[in-house]
Amino acid sequence: MAGYTCMRCVRLLQTGQGLPKTLNQKSSAVGAISFTTRQRFLSGQRPSPLPPALKGARTEPSRRHVSALDTSRSALSDPPAVFPAGTHEVPAQPLESRLILRQNNLFHPFTNSPIPAIRRRAAYIKQHAYCPHPSHNSTRVPTSPHDFEARKTSSSLPPAHVDFECPDCGIPVSCCEEHWMEDYEAHLEICDVLRQINEDDHDLRSGRFFPEFDYPAYPQMDEALVNMSSWDTFLYTRNFNAINDERSMRQATSLLTYPITVGSVLHELSPYNIRKEGRLTLEGLKSLSALRYTLHPPRSGAGTSIKNLRPTAPPVRIFVLGARAESSLPRDIWLQLPHIFPRATMHIIFIGPESMANRDSEFPLPPRTPENPFGAVVEDRLGHSLKISTFVEYYHTLHSSGAFAPYDPYFDCFMLFHPGLGHPASSHEWADTIPQLLETKCPIICTGYTDWDMKRDQDWVKGQCGGEVDILMEGGENRFRSLRWDLNDLDPGDVTCGNWGVWAFRGKRYEARTVDEIASTK
């Protein structure tokens, strides 16, 4: 109904509570405002003042509003609200106090941002991040040759926290204006990216409606193949809402990169192949062909009737190790992974000590009992083809107990999002896990924040495991990386994007041959 207005809005318009002064002359005059003006006001636009002829005039509510509710004036009174047990009414926030940023007003310095959360973030950066100027003494070991800390070789000044905000990007990057000007050439390399991060963060909190977060709720049809060449072709062939804005594209891919990165490697129409520059190795083709055989089963004539009952394969288990933020993603996002494998079932298992961080109000951890010795949180009502389990525990503990044994390369694979295998601060946590993963002979897919981060992980694995590793996919840029850049609050000069690179490996497999076969090859 074009003329329908909810009771709360009618009451707001009747009383004039929260309305501009030009509209609050008399509450009875509000009923004469057109529906278009009222709709603009509720969406955040300031309506034009009333015409002089209507000022001070006593008017009745329009017939459209009264007929939609009742024929009497008493029908405009708000009936007592009824709330479910255990809930209570949340008082409506005045419209004037809601900070809504327009798309042409997204750039604000972090310190003076209209968003309180961003102002708190600016205070955190100023409290923990250090000035990158080479005249300061180093505060930590450089993590890469591109790290600004690597320039601090002959320094004389003590370390100083950042305090000056660059006027171009609005992020605290230097301790003072003089150091910012002296180091402007180095800052200019990332200034545009920092400004983009600034605007994207304000956009997320701008109060606008996000149509890019509306995902298809149905599996892919067999008659319509999904194209995994790029983000554009994938979103188009999966019938996502059209995204015509670069900022909206960045917001959408920052979440979808996690399930689609997995799917792009495992899918039979994967962009990674054994052709030139396809990055897939011969051993990788062997391992992934086994998984694809299970993920793309042939039609068997199965149906709901008794005569059409057919045996079904067990679900494909995807172990996400070291799970952090990806374990708390909305389940509609993870459902996009089984949607591109419509005839297979999946069981995603999040494992890691941080897999349930900051989610106590959503899923309180169950007690550890003989029936549930590791306190797993199981979500098994996510459609007909997906089940998610979460274990707040290290994988090497679960592996040693045999909780997931046996492993089958046709049904199991491991996914490591930004594991930091070679990072000095986290490599010791993987020292016991990687040898156990190699024993399973199942594919292990890894991503990295940058090319340097990914190569450092590869070198660490090869150094730790010697010749017991088969590379399944060479490292390189991920076709489905996040298009949105992220800022490290401890180092504003460190900008990364989620799942920038992807590579894969597996425990080395040895083929048994008979004595006659060996003799024939000599």
Side-chain angles (χ1 to χ4, degrees), residues 463-485:
Q464 286 288 114
C465 306
E468 297 299 319
V469 177
D470 281 333
I471 299 298
L472 306 184
M473 188 170 71
E474 300 291 342
E477 185 174 357
N478 180 13
R479 295 278 188 102
F480 293 93
R481 70 175 180 89
S482 171
L483 299 181
R484 182 189 172 193
W485 293 91

Side-chain angles (χ1 to χ4, degrees), residues 437-457:
L437 296 181
L438 298 180
E439 291 177 2
T440 64
K441 309 301 181 184
C442 296
I444 306 167
I445 307 170
C446 296
T447 64
Y449 285 114
T450 61
D451 184 52
W452 173 265
D453 180 39
M454 185 173 54
K455 290 181 178 178
R456 181 180 57 188
D457 291 348

